[in-house]
Amino acid sequence: MSLKGDRENILNLFITLKGKGELEKVISEKVIDLKWENYYKSKMVDVFGVSESGRHILIENQVSPGDKKHLKTIEQLINKVQDNSIIIWGALNFPHSLMDRVAEMVSNVRDREITFFAVEINKNILPILDEINKLHVLQVMDHLHLLDEEDIYDDILNKFLSCKEDNESVLVLYKNEKLNDRERRNIYIVRELRDRIKYPNVYREKQTYDINKIRYGGGRTGIDFQLYFHHSKLNHAVVSCQFTRESYNVFKALEEKTGKLALRIEKEVVFDPIEMKVYSIVQEYKHMFDKIDKLAELMELYIFYLSNYTFYYGRDNQEEMWTQHPEGLLE
């Protein structure tokens, strides 16, 4: 993962957990709810919120100057948001040409009211983000408070409003997305993992609500932590760490450590060289929520004991990171 990307993730997590006041200063309205990396009409947004009046708030941040890549995201959000929504784009600074383009996009909206803010990110938070980014992934949450020392946003650079046409013939229809039982269950599981577990910064799920597994990036290409409410082949609920040929060296390093992992988590661990995964089974429970509780507990244990290896094994900073989290070593 890139340094810049990690800093942005840390910033977005801080805003979600502790940044309501910062956003309220921008929109001049109370914020009642924020969600980190939330899917909005099939589009991932950095932070999604709801204001006291019920307005949707969609936030895109970058710890770099505004660029065309993020402009494309802003354009997609402008096209997707519902009536009376707020879009906030945070960056270190913005070229005039990008602001001209955003102004044009917003002014072309005639069927909805959209409020757009371009806000400059305070450069003084960059060293703090760098400091937090040097920590082991499991220690990030304990140091987010360092960002309390500075304002996140310096100033509102621009504010654009769309002009909704006052015409009764203009009718805006929004797709009513009905969720099936599996999607509702998976969304509940994701919320439980993020709300109850100490390391929400690790739980960056990939969009798999509509299939049988929930996947989380394990720190490098070719490694996923996976949760199955019901694994069709194993006929049980399963928590696993899945590898590919790209991460084969890490997989092999864990082969002789699965016994120690089993002792630490007090549960059987299966090392499957054919499927290239390490997994544990959760027994069936009479009530769905009891089963979800056990899956969440087991997922946290897998993250706690395997993150040293999935994030840092074989990398230049391995020794430094393992020293920061000796409790996770399977020695």
Side-chain angles (χ1 to χ4, degrees):
M1 293 184 290
S2 69
L3 177 64
K4 183 179 73 173
D6 288 348
R7 293 191 301 175
E8 288 174 2
N9 295 331
I10 293 167
L11 173 60
N12 292 330
L13 183 61
F14 174 81
I15 288 174
T16 303
L17 298 178
K18 305 183 72 175
K20 285 185 180 180
E22 292 277 347
L23 298 178
E24 288 168 351
K25 287 188 290 185
V26 173
I27 70 172
S28 299
E29 185 179 348
K30 187 174 182 180
V31 176
I32 62 172
D33 186 40
L34 291 173
K35 292 183 173 64
W36 180 54
E37 292 194 337
N38 190 76
Y39 281 100
Y40 181 87
K41 299 184 180 180
S42 301
K43 171 67 180 174
M44 173 74 83
V45 294
D46 287 345
V47 181
F48 171 78
V50 179
S51 74
E52 188 174 37
S53 66
R55 303 176 75 186
H56 287 179
I57 308 165
L58 298 96
I59 303 160
E60 180 74 12
N61 285 314
Q62 55 179 126
V63 288
S64 58
D67 55 32
K68 291 183 179 179
K69 175 184 175 182
H70 288 79
L71 176 65
K72 182 66 176 178
T73 297
I74 296 300
E75 181 177 19
Q76 292 170 343
L77 295 182
I78 290 172
N79 291 333
K80 284 178 177 288
V81 294
Q82 69 179 34
D83 187 23
N84 201 27
S85 292
I86 299 169
I87 299 173
I88 298 173
W89 184 6
L92 293 182
N93 53 67
F94 297 92
H96 292 300
S97 58
L98 290 190
M99 289 296 94
D100 290 344
R101 182 71 186 107
V102 173
E104 181 182 0
M105 291 175 185
V106 174
S107 66
N108 286 337
V109 175
R110 290 287 184 266
D111 57 355
R112 291 156 293 144
E113 289 186 1
I114 298 173
T115 304
F116 172 88
F117 293 96
V119 292
E120 293 187 329
I121 290 175
N122 182 1
K123 294 179 176 62
N124 291 334
I125 71 169
L126 299 185
I128 303 173
L129 291 173
D130 288 337
E131 183 178 349
I132 298 174
N133 198 35
K134 293 174 183 176
L135 298 171
H136 190 285
V137 66
L138 300 191
Q139 296 188 12
V140 167
M141 289 298 297
D142 292 332
H143 292 80
L144 282 181
H145 66 89
L146 296 175
L147 287 164
D148 290 333
E149 300 171 7
E150 297 282 350
D151 291 334
I152 298 301
Y153 296 127
D154 257 346
D155 198 9
I156 299 174
L157 180 66
N158 275 306
K159 177 181 178 181
F160 304 129
L161 301 172
S162 68
C163 251
K164 185 176 179 180
E165 291 181 345
D166 187 14
N167 187 332
E168 293 182 0
S169 66
V170 175
L171 179 63
V172 184
L173 297 176
Y174 297 101
K175 182 181 177 183
N176 181 17
E177 299 184 17
K178 294 184 178 180
L179 301 178
N180 59 39
D181 289 342
R182 175 184 289 168
E183 288 174 311
R184 281 195 293 270
R185 185 191 66 218
N186 283 347
I187 289 171
Y188 177 83
I189 293 172
V190 167
R191 187 171 67 245
E192 289 297 293
L193 288 172
R194 287 193 168 190
D195 289 348
R196 294 170 42 191
I197 293 178
K198 186 179 179 182
Y199 316 113
N201 55 305
V202 180
Y203 290 100
R204 305 178 61 210
E205 72 274 356
K206 301 177 180 180
Q207 191 178 14
T208 53
Y209 294 148
D210 58 341
I211 64 175
N212 198 37
K213 63 184 174 184
I214 303 173
R215 298 166 54 225
Y216 295 87
R220 69 179 80 195
T221 302
I223 301 179
D224 283 339
F225 290 100
Q226 300 182 345
L227 183 152
Y228 293 81
F229 187 81
H230 183 82
H231 194 292
S232 56
K233 290 183 179 179
L234 297 173
N235 202 31
H236 281 286
V238 172
V239 168
S240 70
C241 190
Q242 178 71 58
F243 300 83
T244 67
R245 287 294 169 187
E246 293 175 282
S247 54
Y248 184 73
N249 63 324
V250 185
F251 180 64
K252 289 299 291 182
L254 287 173
E255 182 173 10
E256 61 184 39
K257 301 183 183 296
T258 51
K260 293 176 182 177
L261 176 61
L263 289 174
R264 299 287 179 87
I265 69 175
E266 298 181 345
K267 199 165 192 64
E268 181 182 2
V269 176
V270 178
F271 183 87
D272 186 339
I274 305 301
E275 297 289 336
M276 291 189 65
K277 65 182 177 183
V278 177
Y279 69 90
S280 295
I281 288 173
V282 171
Q283 69 185 67
E284 293 298 321
Y285 286 83
K286 181 178 180 180
H287 299 293
M288 177 184 75
F289 299 110
D290 292 333
K291 184 175 173 181
I292 290 173
D293 286 344
K294 295 300 179 182
L295 282 166
E297 290 173 10
L298 185 55
M299 182 67 111
E300 182 170 21
L301 289 171
Y302 259 59
I303 293 289
F304 186 86
Y305 287 111
L306 294 184
S307 61
N308 269 348
Y309 303 92
T310 65
F311 278 83
Y312 305 114
Y313 178 81
R315 291 181 165 169
D316 292 340
N317 61 347
Q318 174 184 310
E319 183 177 352
E320 175 190 354
M321 291 302 174
W322 286 18
T323 300
Q324 290 188 32
H325 182 50
E327 303 88 349
L329 292 175
L330 300 172
E331 304 296 342

